[in-house]
Amino acid sequence: NYAISYSNGTLTITAATPPVTTWPTATPITYGQALSNSILSGGTGSVAGAFAFTYPTNTPNAGTNSESVTFRPSDTNYNTSAGTASVTVDLKALTIKADNKSKPYDGAVFSPFTASYAGFVLGQTNLVGTLSFSGAATTATNVGVYTGGIVPGGQTSTNYAISYSNGTLTITAATPTVSPSPLATPITYGQALSISVLSGGAATNAAGVNVPGNFAFPTPATIPNAGMAEQSVTFTPTDTINYNTVVFTVSVTVNKAAQTVTFPPIPDQVVTSTVPLSATASSGLPVTFAVNSGPAVITGGTTLSFTGTGVVVIEANQGGDANWNAAAPVVNTFTVQPAVSPIQGIVNADFDGDRKADPAIYDASTGTWTIRMSASGYLPMTLVDLLGGPGYVAAAADYDGDRLADPAVYQ
């Protein structure tokens, strides 16, 4: 009775969701680590499968966190199941170390102090609170090494375990600037540097503030040569703890020293004499001699001889050197007399020392001398049988250097 036609139907079998008997536990991680670093273990499902964090790249804050976990059955006829696991996230260690600082002394406290951070993760650079510093270094002004005197503090974090490390402040002695340099008064050769007076110099610190102290020659006993030369000078600050000494140079003018020549008088001579010339200079330098006028010559530099009778003028000189000025020349004037009277028996010589000739007669037959002294109005003085006799000739002259004629005869 029927014309039958057939039409197919669809059977839909959906995946079953297996129950999870026990969700796994998670090992602790440290702040900054992703959940993938935590190991899940101990979970039990009703079918074979594996547990994993749903968001393995998450980096949770420190503390105890409930994190999403997915159970994925090995058989794809089963749906995944969602649950949670408790994950402990430990604080991350972070060190704040005060930076070591140094500066030359300037009389002020150091600023600013800084610190270095070690341990930040996830690109972070900030903490809660303001970094502050305390300790001996924060009030120190004098030279010294303040070990551990920079004490950092003042910052906190819920994700970091913060530890602080102290720093050291070193304050070194400052070196003053000398400007202008002092001026040195001139001295004369032979004087020590201590005779020169230093005046007018000044020293300042980096801020331009005057630094009290004094200037002195470090080797005051030095006796420099004549001329202008740079001499070492030391600036010694009054505050030797906080300031260094400064060594520099100044120009010192050393003038040549004066000298004198001592040239003893030369008595009158006879023409046959030779005289060793001798003179000294206060400088200790050698003295030279010259014949200014008269019948005399000098040989070997110091031996004086005569070429005739008359007045001779000898000059002694010392011309100086790099340290001594030339000395004023000194002259000696004396008379050269003949060795024998030109007329036998007549002797014209100065017997009384008044630099005038005294007429005198020598009687060779009796050895008698008759002398008329010019200093006594030419009164005669007769010396009977003094010396000589027949065959002797008068040869009066100054033989003992007292500038008086001495009666003498020769045969």
Side-chain angles (χ1 to χ4, degrees):
N1 291 322
Y2 293 95
I4 298 172
S5 62
Y6 294 93
S7 177
N8 296 342
T10 298
L11 172 65
T12 300
I13 301 174
T14 60
T17 300
V20 174
T21 305
T22 305
W23 288 96
T25 59
T27 58
I29 59 175
T30 300
Y31 176 70
Q33 290 182 318
L35 287 174
S36 58
N37 290 281
S38 178
I39 298 173
L40 295 171
S41 62
T44 304
S46 57
V47 295
F51 294 95
F53 286 106
T54 306
Y55 307 104
T57 59
N58 279 4
T59 54
N61 289 328
T64 301
N65 298 276
S66 180
E67 298 296 334
S68 177
V69 174
T70 298
F71 174 70
R72 189 173 301 280
S74 302
D75 186 345
T76 57
N77 288 312
Y78 292 97
N79 290 319
T80 59
S81 297
T84 61
S86 179
V87 180
T88 298
V89 181
D90 297 326
L91 295 172
K92 173 69 170 67
L94 184 142
T95 300
I96 302 176
K97 184 184 184 311
D99 297 325
N100 293 332
K101 298 294 183 179
S102 65
K103 69 164 186 172
Y105 171 78
D106 60 5
V109 295
F110 183 88
S111 180
F113 292 106
T114 59
S116 300
Y117 294 78
F120 273 125
V121 293
L122 305 178
Q124 297 173 348
T125 58
N126 296 320
L127 298 172
V128 177
T130 301
L131 180 65
S132 61
F133 297 92
S134 61
T138 60
T139 58
T141 57
N142 288 330
V143 166
V145 178
Y146 299 87
T147 303
I150 309 173
V151 182
Q155 294 191 297
T156 61
S157 174
T158 57
N159 288 320
Y160 293 97
I162 299 173
S163 62
Y164 292 96
S165 178
N166 296 346
T168 295
L169 172 65
T170 302
I171 301 178
T172 58
T175 300
T177 298
V178 174
S179 181
S181 296
L183 299 177
T185 57
I187 57 176
T188 300
Y189 175 70
Q191 292 181 320
L193 284 176
S194 57
I195 302 300
S196 179
V197 178
L198 295 169
S199 62
T204 56
N205 61 19
V209 177
N210 183 65
V211 178
N214 63 81
F215 297 95
F217 293 104
T219 55
T222 297
I223 299 176
N225 289 327
M228 179 179 289
E230 295 295 309
Q231 299 294 336
S232 181
V233 172
T234 299
F235 171 74
T236 302
T238 303
D239 182 356
T240 56
I241 294 175
N242 292 313
Y243 288 103
N244 293 316
T245 58
V246 182
V247 179
F248 56 100
T249 60
V250 299
S251 292
V252 178
T253 298
V254 181
N255 297 317
K256 289 185 177 183
Q259 60 170 328
T260 58
V261 170
T262 300
F263 188 17
I266 300 174
D268 289 343
Q269 302 292 318
V270 295
V271 71
T272 57
S273 299
T274 58
V275 180
L277 298 174
S278 176
T280 58
S282 59
S283 64
L285 297 173
V287 177
T288 60
F289 302 94
V291 177
N292 274 9
S293 62
V297 292
I298 297 173
T299 57
T302 58
T303 302
L304 177 66
S305 60
F306 307 104
T307 60
T309 60
V311 177
V312 175
V313 179
I314 303 297
E315 182 176 286
N317 287 285
Q318 209 312 297
D321 63 4
N323 292 318
W324 296 90
N325 287 315
V330 178
V331 297
N332 267 327
T333 302
F334 57 93
T335 301
V336 178
Q337 301 171 340
V340 179
S341 296
I343 302 175
Q344 184 173 350
I346 298 176
V347 181
N348 294 318
D350 182 9
F351 291 91
D352 54 12
D354 64 353
R355 301 186 66 82
K356 295 180 181 179
D358 303 313
I361 298 175
Y362 165 66
D363 186 345
S365 62
T366 63
T368 299
W369 290 72
T370 300
I371 305 170
R372 291 184 178 273
M373 301 292 187
S374 59
S376 302
Y378 294 98
L379 292 175
M381 179 180 68
T382 302
L383 304 175
V384 179
D385 198 22
L386 175 64
L387 57 124
Y392 285 86
V393 177
D398 181 8
Y399 293 96
D400 52 12
D402 63 356
R403 302 182 71 84
L404 299 176
D406 305 310
V409 297
Y410 79 96
Q411 185 178 32

